Amino acid sequence: MNPTILIVDDEPSVLQTLQTFLQKEGFHIITASTGKEALKKANQFQPKIVILDWMLPEMSGIEVCQVLRQRGTYGIIMVTAKKEEIDRIIGLEVGADDYLTKPFSYRELAARIRALLRRMKDSIQISPTIHYQDLVIDQKKYLVTKKKQMIELTPTEFKILYTLASYPGIVFSRMQLLEHAIGDSFYFDERTIDGHISKLRKKIEDNPANPKYIQTVFGFGYRFGDPT
C-alpha cells in the first residue's frame, strides 16, 4: 500500500503541482488549504507524512505542527519561504522532522519524504519505551520521566536523547546526531548538537558536569550510558 501524504498549502497551484508530481512518484495524496482543514484531514486519513506550509490562514503551520505532534507520530516536513537559521530552528523545535525553504526541487522533496519514511520505519523496530537506571523514555508519548517525575524536553532534545538511548554504548558523531535526530544536516553546523546536549544534561543529569547518561567521547562525539 502506497504511503499517504497530506499536503497543506493555501496556494491552489502549489497544491495541484505537488499532488501531480508526488502521485507520479507513487504516493497517495490528500490536500488541505487551511490549518483547521489540515487537522481534520490528518485525523480522518492518518497520513504517514505531512508536508506543511508555514504561512497558512486560520492557524499557522507552526501551530498546526504543535497540535499534530501532540496527536500522533506523523512525519512532518515544514515548507516555507523563511530562510533564516532561527526560523529553521523554530520549525524543528516545535516538532517538525525536516525543513525545506522555497523554492525547492520537487525531486529533493521526494527524496526527503523517502528518507523520513525510512527513519520512521527504523524507529518502529526499536522498543518504543526505553528504561535506563531511573530514566524512562517513552517514544509514543514523547515523554521522559526520571524517578517518576516528568522532564520537559523540546522535540529536538527528545529526538537526540531517544536516538542515543536506542543504541546504548554506541558512539554517535555530531553529524550523525544531526542526521538521525534532526534529519537535515545540510543546514546546520554540527556544533549545534553541543548546545542541545548541554541543555539536555541540565534537565536529566544529577550533575551535568559529571554526566552518567550522556557521555562525551572526546574527538568523536557522544554516547548514552557506559560502553558495551
Side-chain angles (χ1 to χ4, degrees), residues 142-153:
Y142 256 59
L143 184 67
V144 176
T145 58
K146 180 180 178 183
K147 298 178 181 177
K148 299 183 179 181
Q149 297 296 312
M150 188 174 69
I151 299 173
E152 293 188 8
L153 301 181

Side-chain angles (χ1 to χ4, degrees), residues 207-219:
N207 180 5
N210 185 27
K212 66 177 182 179
Y213 299 116
I214 301 176
Q215 309 283 332
T216 299
V217 182
F218 292 101

